Amino acid sequence: MSPIQQITIHLEGVGTVLKSRRFQVPTYQRGYAWEAEHVEALLADISDAITSKEKEYFLGSMVVTSANSKRLEVVDGQQRLTTVSLIILAIKEKFLQDKDHDVVASLNTDFLASSDRRTKEREPKLILNEVDNEIYQDLIEDYDATINKKGVRRPSHKRLIAAAKQCSAYIQKVCLNSKDSEEDLHTWLDYIEKQLKIIVVIAPDDSNAFVIFETLNDRGLDLAISDLVKNYLFHKSSEKIEETKNRWLSMVSTLESATDDPLIVAYIRHFSMAKYGLIREKDLFSLLKKKITSKRGALNYSTELADSVRGYSALINTDHDFWNTFPTGTSASVATFNLLGMTQIRPLLLAILDSFTSKQVAMAFKSLVAVAVRYQLVGGVGGGTLERLYSETAKAITEGKITKSLEVISELKTVPSDSAFEAAFAYATVSKPKVARYFLRELEIAKSHLADDIIPDIDPTKVNLEHVLPQSPADGWKDFDEEEWRTYHKRLGNMAIMSSGSNSDIGNASFSKKKSAYKDSSFYFTEQLSSSPEWTKDKIESRQKEMAQVAVKHWKP
């Protein structure tokens, strides 16, 4: 580990820290991440400490760098510092409601934002990263307008607003249960300023700050894996740190544009699995430390992360223009993986995208859809086993041991056989309507050789899922007792796809009344229902066995 030089360490009240210094969260740091339970825990801890008359409450540590002469840059600690400022904001808003403008002005100047006496420009005590800062400053300047702002989409913005509202509600509750609310608010402020202690570690530059950050983690500090990886890469990049920062920012912005869900850790893990094989999330950081030991290694890894992220975001968002250069049907294969919840396969898909031609990608993805369906229907292979199979195959592709789509399938030696798949399909029960619609749609395509313009849609607003034996059977279904209904009503042999209008019309009617609607259908397996004189357990089983015969040919790797 690199030597740590010229650091200073202070134990201070967090309010004093905000009062006496100015901070800035660098652009590369993640946005505000605390959820309601984290905010609630901090508020409850402060309240309990005040009630118990504890002389001090230790909030933890924060690591900053003094490279910027005007502001300290926050390497670690922004979540706590931001949330404490939101608590002070909530107290300020309560004084504003009570029209105590002198206290409001004092709180603004001391803890939130002062004004430069020469330029008259507003000087925030804390500036967040480029993504979050505008809405954070809006909260401080115009709380009511900001919490009621419409169209807030970024997850970190939603969390900031939610945290501000949560702090405000908590402070209002404190006042409601108080005999002297003004005095209690001042008690909170005094405690935050002087007794809510935090260790401030000031390093002269990023390199030293990242060493300290890593050392604190080694001592058991609970940190996000993405932060650990990011700071380790920055530290290892040495004088090339700006290049690594830019690549990290590019990666994060691409992932955020794909979905509102947090994806950074999932992407880093899946990307790393494509290179190194199976990695459990808890082992990700320690493995990367072993694999990346030099400046060159850190630069190469961050470059590869930035280069592959567009493909990964396209695996999440199948409408991505990334797929425009691939053969027709490639994105549909990806949509199927997502529909089936096959996230374990993403390291393998990433490796294929990075190593194969677009034509080979399309062929491999189509075959892997059949593999995924077989694994899901046959069962017996747990998610952990699948993840190992897919990641080891991905590693073989990355290492150049597999170069063709056919070799990908042959590497997956445990793919269920035709006989095993057909037997499993013949008795398959499907609980999720969107998955059932997918299976039935594919069976129609396989059986009827439908042209593109009449392929059934799986959009539930256009094509609905019909249960012949209804989900809520009424009169006319007395041949099925309750146990038989539980056994058969979600069997694929009991399901069909129909236009949404037709399905709503027949509802829970008896089979004899439904038959005319089935006869009018253009879909083979739906129209076929009309030829049955009655609907029984034997009919469900024989129909599903026919489906299984079609399935084993259609989903053939």
Side-chain angles (χ1 to χ4, degrees):
M1 187 174 288
S2 302
I4 302 175
Q5 301 173 346
Q6 301 175 14
I7 68 165
T8 58
I9 301 175
H10 306 271
L11 178 64
E12 301 180 68
V14 67
T16 300
V17 169
L18 276 169
K19 196 173 184 179
S20 59
R21 300 179 181 88
R22 292 175 183 171
F23 297 92
Q24 180 163 359
V25 176
T27 302
Y28 61 77
Q29 294 282 28
R30 64 176 171 154
Y32 186 73
W34 270 20
E35 303 288 354
E37 62 266 28
H38 305 118
V39 178
E40 178 66 27
L42 178 59
L43 287 163
D45 285 349
I46 297 172
S47 180
D48 290 345
I50 292 171
T51 302
S52 303
K53 300 187 182 330
E54 294 182 20
K55 291 183 178 180
E56 293 180 339
Y57 180 84
F58 182 51
L59 193 58
S61 60
M62 63 182 296
V63 181
V64 298
T65 175
S66 58
N68 184 330
S69 60
K70 293 184 178 180
R71 288 183 178 271
L72 296 172
E73 289 200 345
V74 183
V75 173
D76 175 49
Q78 68 147 317
Q79 310 297 335
R80 282 161 288 169
L81 199 61
T82 304
T83 308
V84 168
S85 74
L86 292 177
I87 296 172
I88 294 172
L89 171 63
I91 295 172
K92 184 202 83 169
E93 289 299 314
K94 183 64 177 73
F95 276 114
L96 186 61
Q97 288 177 6
D98 296 341
K99 303 189 185 309
D100 194 334
H101 297 290
D102 289 339
V103 174
V104 169
S106 175
L107 290 178
N108 263 331
T109 301
D110 288 347
F111 301 108
L112 299 173
S114 57
S115 296
D116 186 281
R117 65 183 175 80
R118 288 183 181 275
T119 65
K120 305 297 190 293
E121 289 183 359
R122 184 175 174 276
E123 289 286 343
K125 294 290 185 177
L126 173 63
I127 295 176
L128 299 189
N129 68 12
E130 290 181 5
V131 170
D132 288 347
N133 190 56
E134 183 177 351
I135 199 158
Y136 171 72
Q137 302 303 336
D138 286 348
L139 279 166
I140 291 172
E141 289 195 68
D142 194 342
Y143 173 84
D144 288 335
T146 308
I147 64 168
N148 295 310
K149 191 174 183 179
K150 304 295 184 183
V152 176
R153 298 187 62 184
R154 282 189 177 274
S156 57
H157 292 186
K158 292 178 181 179
R159 285 191 286 266
L160 274 167
I161 290 174
K165 292 167 72 173
Q166 187 176 354
C167 291
S168 179
Y170 198 97
I171 294 301
Q172 294 284 355
K173 185 178 177 182
V174 167
C175 294
L176 188 64
N177 298 327
S178 171
K179 294 179 181 178
D180 187 344
S181 61
E182 181 179 344
E183 179 59 28
D184 282 347
L185 291 179
H186 281 297
T187 299
W188 269 70
L189 288 168
D190 290 342
Y191 200 90
I192 289 171
E193 182 176 353
K194 298 173 183 176
Q195 293 158 280
L196 189 62
K197 300 287 189 179
I198 192 167
I199 292 175
V200 183
V201 183
I202 305 176
D205 53 40
D206 284 345
S207 179
N208 283 280
F210 298 141
V211 174
I212 296 163
F213 181 93
E214 185 181 339
T215 304
L216 288 171
N217 179 66
D218 287 342
R219 301 296 181 268
L221 193 62
D222 184 19
L223 299 168
I225 292 172
S226 58
D227 284 344
L228 292 172
V229 173
K230 172 190 64 184
N231 285 282
Y232 181 73
L233 291 175
F234 289 176
H235 164 52
K236 281 295 179 184
S237 297
S238 189
E239 74 274 9
K240 298 287 187 180
I241 187 172
E242 289 304 319
E243 295 177 35
T244 304
K245 285 181 180 179
N246 290 335
R247 288 161 189 159
W248 185 272
L249 281 172
S250 174
M251 178 195 74
V252 171
S253 63
T254 301
L255 290 174
E256 286 184 345
S257 66
T259 177
D260 288 343
D261 296 329
L263 279 178
I264 297 175
V265 174
Y267 169 57
I268 295 172
R269 178 169 170 259
H270 288 157
F271 172 82
S272 300
M273 287 165 67
K275 290 170 66 69
Y276 307 122
L278 181 65
I279 310 168
R280 302 300 182 197
E281 185 173 307
K282 63 183 179 63
D283 301 322
L284 177 60
F285 178 56
S286 59
L287 180 132
L288 290 179
K289 284 175 67 177
K290 292 176 182 176
K291 296 290 185 181
I292 304 168
T293 57
S294 65
K295 175 175 64 179
R296 184 180 184 84
L299 285 170
N300 288 342
Y301 184 83
S302 60
T303 299
E304 291 167 356
L305 274 178
D307 289 345
S308 294
V309 71
R310 188 164 177 264
Y312 190 83
S313 67
L315 294 176
I316 312 299
N317 175 16
T318 53
D319 292 328
H320 201 293
D321 60 10
F322 177 84
W323 302 115
N324 293 347
T325 59
F326 288 82
T328 303
T330 309
S331 62
S333 295
V334 176
T336 301
F337 297 131
N338 293 340
L339 176 71
L340 298 178
M342 298 297 291
T343 56
Q344 306 99 325
I345 204 171
R346 285 178 184 165
L348 178 53
L349 302 182
L350 261 184
I352 291 170
L353 285 173
D354 286 343
S355 303
F356 286 11
T357 64
S358 60
K359 184 177 180 181
Q360 285 285 324
V361 167
M363 293 171 61
F365 280 21
K366 184 176 180 181
S367 295
L368 285 170
V369 166
V371 169
V373 169
R374 289 189 175 218
Y375 276 135
Q376 187 156 93
L377 266 291
V378 174
V381 182
T385 302
L386 278 179
E387 197 166 53
R388 180 179 295 279
L389 283 169
Y390 289 139
S391 60
E392 292 301 327
T393 306
K395 180 184 176 185
I397 292 172
T398 302
E399 293 175 347
K401 297 175 182 177
I402 295 175
T403 59
K404 297 177 182 178
S405 59
L406 291 176
E407 296 171 348
V408 174
I409 306 305
S410 62
E411 185 74 12
L412 299 168
K413 299 178 179 64
T414 62
V415 177
S417 65
D418 287 355
S419 59
F421 178 55
E422 184 174 349
F425 202 99
Y427 291 94
T429 296
V430 181
S431 297
K432 295 181 179 178
K434 61 182 181 180
V435 175
R437 278 195 297 272
Y438 163 74
F439 284 137
L440 294 169
R441 174 183 184 270
E442 292 297 311
L443 290 170
E444 290 294 339
I445 293 170
K447 183 69 179 178
S448 306
H449 306 291
L450 296 174
D452 288 345
D453 58 343
I454 58 169
I455 288 175
D457 200 314
I458 58 171
D459 183 346
T461 63
K462 299 176 182 177
V463 173
N464 214 337
L465 184 64
E466 157 70 356
H467 290 75
V468 183
L469 170 63
Q471 297 186 81
S472 302
D475 293 339
W477 293 100
K478 294 179 180 178
D479 290 340
F480 291 84
D481 61 31
E482 186 174 344
E483 184 177 345
E484 290 169 336
W485 171 81
R486 282 198 299 267
T487 301
Y488 284 96
H489 85 284
K490 289 185 178 179
R491 287 274 296 271
L492 274 172
N494 185 57
M495 300 180 192
I497 47 176
M498 301 182 67
S499 69
S500 296
S502 298
N503 180 254
S504 62
D505 290 341
I506 60 178
N508 294 331
S510 65
F511 182 69
S512 59
K513 292 180 179 179
K514 289 185 174 191
K515 287 173 61 174
S516 59
Y518 299 150
K519 189 173 183 180
D520 294 336
S521 176
S522 59
F523 305 142
Y524 170 81
F525 282 107
T526 306
E527 190 276 333
Q528 182 196 47
L529 291 167
S530 64
S531 62
S532 296
E534 57 184 352
W535 197 242
T536 63
K537 299 182 287 293
D538 289 342
K539 288 293 184 183
I540 293 173
E541 291 186 354
S542 63
R543 182 171 182 261
Q544 192 158 339
K545 285 178 181 176
E546 182 185 354
M547 289 177 166
Q549 292 170 358
V550 175
V552 77
K553 296 176 182 176
H554 183 62
W555 283 289
K556 201 169 189 69

